[in-house]
């Protein structure tokens, strides 16, 4: 199967074993099955969901199925045409050394110490791509980077190395939106993750709506396939960024 990036041990050695732990490293779920671990990368459109029943043979979104004795099924699903999500089955002891794990920066949540964050982002790169770079800091994706920057009142196009101490502190505090999101999910979602995840987003994909804090119209800029939303009043000194200008900025 193209989704599996490893073939030794083969997936069927999971038969008869018991899932011992489910945890997360950065954006990657890890399912521990005794001394083996299934490391999953959801990429941008993947989801790991548990179902009561087995998937229909017509289900085209499932990339990987793990069936349990009670007939429930764990599915790695991916929406859209691209098949990019992947999984690796590794001895548990080798997870930390896996190239995708070993290169990760510190976890974004719980937030690393302020000084460590300051060191990590002291790079001449725009905050939007920098914070999504898992090697700089792990666990932030396209939706949450907008939320974190909005919370911190920072422009997505300010460079990490240009931040004042006080701005780094705001960014550090802004990481708490991740903790708040996890808390919300724990309250509103039970064991089964629904197809339509109720993401508590306040600016991401909310262009045209009023900023929940100051009422200014939330704007959007696009770069490649990425959409960024922000409040011009509070994050870019009142400037509305143009896509053309943005693509030049990011080159
Ligand atoms: Zn605002």
């Amino acid at each position: 199967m193209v989704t599996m990036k490893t073939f030794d041990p083969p997936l069927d050695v999971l038969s008869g074993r018991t899932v011992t732990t489910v945890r997360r490293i950065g954006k990657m779920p890890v399912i521990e099955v005794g001394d083996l671990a299934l490391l999953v990368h959801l990429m941008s459109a993947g989801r790991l969901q548990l179902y009561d029943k087995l998937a229909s043979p017509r289900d085209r979104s499932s990339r990987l199925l793990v069936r349990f004795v009670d007939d429930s099924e764990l599915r790695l699903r991916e929406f859209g045409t691209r098949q990019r999500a992947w999984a690796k089955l590794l001895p548990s002891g080798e997870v930390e050394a896996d190239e995708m794990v070993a290169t990760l920066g510190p976890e974004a949540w719980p937030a690393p110490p302020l000084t460590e964050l300051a060191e990590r982002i002291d790079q001449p790169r725009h905050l939007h791509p920098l914070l999504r770079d898992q090697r700089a800091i792990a666990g932030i994706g396209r939706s949450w980077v907008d939320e974190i920057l909005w919370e911190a009142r920072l422009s997505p196009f300010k460079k990490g190395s240009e931040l004042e101490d006080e701005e780094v502190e705001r960014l550090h505090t802004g990481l708490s939106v991740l903790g708040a999101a996890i808390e919300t999910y724990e309250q509103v979602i039970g064991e089964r993750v629904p197809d339509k995840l109720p993401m508590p987003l306040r600016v991401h994909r909310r262009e045209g709506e009023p900023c929940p804090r100051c009422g200014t119209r939330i704007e959007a800029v696009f770069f490649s396939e990425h959409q960024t939303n922000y409040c011009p009043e509070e994050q870019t000194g009142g400037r509305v960024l143009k896509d053309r200008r943005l693509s030049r900025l990011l080159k």
Side-chain angles (χ1 to χ4, degrees):
M1 193 181 291
V2 68
T3 304
M4 285 304 296
K5 282 203 165 187
T6 52
F7 56 90
D8 182 27
L11 203 56
D12 53 20
V13 301
L14 293 181
S15 289
R17 288 173 174 247
T18 304
V19 172
T20 40
T21 314
V22 178
R23 61 190 179 106
R24 175 186 66 83
I25 303 176
K27 295 197 291 182
M28 296 176 282
V30 183
I31 301 154
E32 308 248 7
V33 186
D35 58 358
L36 292 174
L38 192 64
L39 176 68
V40 178
H41 202 309
L42 301 167
M43 298 303 290
S44 56
R47 190 165 296 172
L48 204 54
Q49 288 169 284
L50 192 62
Y51 287 85
D52 288 328
K53 291 191 221 134
L54 305 184
S56 144
R58 283 174 306 183
D59 173 17
R60 288 166 179 271
S61 61
S62 290
R63 306 278 177 252
L64 189 70
L65 303 168
V66 179
R67 204 161 280 174
F68 296 103
V69 279
D70 64 354
D71 268 353
S72 61
E73 192 173 66
L74 182 69
R75 300 183 204 160
L76 168 57
R77 305 175 74 208
E78 193 170 27
F79 303 95
T81 49
R82 287 205 253 176
Q83 301 195 6
R84 298 193 300 174
W86 55 255
K88 291 179 182 178
L89 185 62
L90 307 163
S92 299
E94 290 178 18
V95 172
E96 301 304 318
D98 180 83
E99 54 169 333
M100 288 300 294
V101 176
T103 53
L104 292 176
E107 290 283 344
W109 189 258
L114 180 61
T115 47
E116 188 177 5
L117 177 69
E119 261 168 45
R120 286 284 168 169
I121 61 162
D122 187 13
Q123 299 184 42
R125 299 167 62 192
H126 298 110
L127 288 175
H128 192 268
L130 177 58
L131 294 176
R132 287 187 296 107
D133 181 347
Q134 303 301 301
R135 293 163 300 179
I137 185 162
I140 303 173
R142 278 190 262 167
S143 307
W144 297 103
V145 69
D146 284 2
E147 300 296 311
I148 291 166
L149 290 171
W150 176 80
E151 187 69 34
R153 295 177 172 86
L154 290 170
S155 166
F157 306 109
K158 188 140 193 170
K159 287 179 181 164
S161 51
E162 288 171 352
L163 295 188
E164 309 282 345
D165 290 349
E166 186 261 334
E167 291 175 315
V168 178
E169 278 172 34
R170 282 199 331 244
L171 181 61
H172 189 252
T173 307
L175 293 174
S176 65
V177 300
L178 297 171
I182 292 169
E183 234 169 71
T184 303
Y185 288 150
E186 283 173 354
Q187 281 168 18
V188 301
I189 299 173
E191 276 183 7
R192 309 285 149 108
V193 176
D195 278 356
K196 206 165 161 45
L197 194 64
M199 294 176 84
L201 300 169
R202 288 173 292 185
V203 283
H204 185 68
R205 295 201 178 276
R206 295 203 178 268
E207 61 271 25
E209 295 182 24
C211 167
R213 211 162 37 207
C214 75
T216 304
R217 183 192 145 96
I218 298 289
E219 297 291 341
V221 280
F222 295 85
F223 176 70
S224 171
E225 61 191 74
H226 302 287
Q227 171 174 342
T228 305
N229 293 100
Y230 63 99
C231 167
E233 176 66 26
E234 298 179 289
Q235 291 177 259
T236 57
R239 278 171 300 131
V240 174
L241 306 164
K242 294 279 179 286
D243 289 346
R244 200 155 36 104
R245 186 174 157 235
L246 173 65
S247 37
R248 203 173 65 227
L249 262 175
L250 289 184
K251 262 177 194 157

